[in-house]
Every structure is written in C-alpha cells, then in structure tokens.
Amino acid sequence: MHQGIPAAYRGAVNPLSPDAKTIGEGHALYQKRCASCHGATGMGDGEAGKSLNPSPALLAYMIQMPMSVDEYLLWSVSDDGAAFETDMPAFKDVLTQEEIWKVVTYMRAGFPDG
C-alpha cells in the first residue's frame, strides 16, 4: 500500500448505482465470498477469520474512511493481501469486476440485510 494504488486500478470508478437490485446482489455475493472472514456485518468477526493474524479488516468502519475510494476497494478485493501483509485471497479470478463492484455497492450501503 505504501507504493500507492497499482496503475491497473488507478482512476477506477464504480459504474453501478446503489439501487435495491444491485445492493441485493452485492449482499448475496458478500455473504458467499466475504462474510466467512469479515463477518455478516463487516465487523471482522467471521468464523474463518478468527484464526487469521492479522485479523480480517473491519469493513464496516473501513468503508467510511477517506482512503476507501473506489480504486482502492477494487484493488484490495481483486488482488491478494500481499500489499497489506494479510491473508486476503485474490478475487479477480473468482468474481467478475461487475460482481466486485456489487460487493462494494453493498458495503457502501451499510451492509443491509438481503
């Protein structure tokens, strides 16, 4: 992270609107791919994350931080956690970029129930 956002992600902007459909699809993807570590509400308390060191990011708080611009979020979900010294897996080969944006939209909506 100290090197900045990689060129491949610089300037990326979430093209999706935060409508109910997108948020609902983001919720389903988050529950399937993220909640096991980050917890159902983004508090880092998922069962699989309990054994990780460092513990999973507190996404509910992180999403509100100034550093959590779209390009940073796309990068941190797409690539693995090596740049952050975490065990975060890369999702760019598991989720499409549109699916990643749906997860980001869901998180920005405050982790509502599906």
Side-chain angles (χ1 to χ4, degrees), residues 20 22-28 30-31 39-42 106-107 109-114:
T22 301
I23 292 169
E25 291 172 357
H27 174 261
Y30 179 89
Q31 293 305 313
T41 60
Y106 167 73
M107 292 190 306
F111 298 84
D113 290 338

Side-chain angles (χ1 to χ4, degrees), residues 51-91:
S51 65
L52 298 176
N53 188 13
S55 60
L58 302 175
L59 298 177
Y61 296 123
M62 191 196 83
I63 196 74
Q64 300 174 36
M65 298 175 77
M67 67 181 253
S68 294
V69 294
D70 285 349
E71 57 191 9
Y72 172 81
L73 294 170
L74 179 63
W75 169 40
S76 62
V77 175
S78 296
D79 288 359
D80 64 33
F84 312 102
E85 298 179 1
T86 72
D87 290 329
M88 172 81 174
F91 282 94

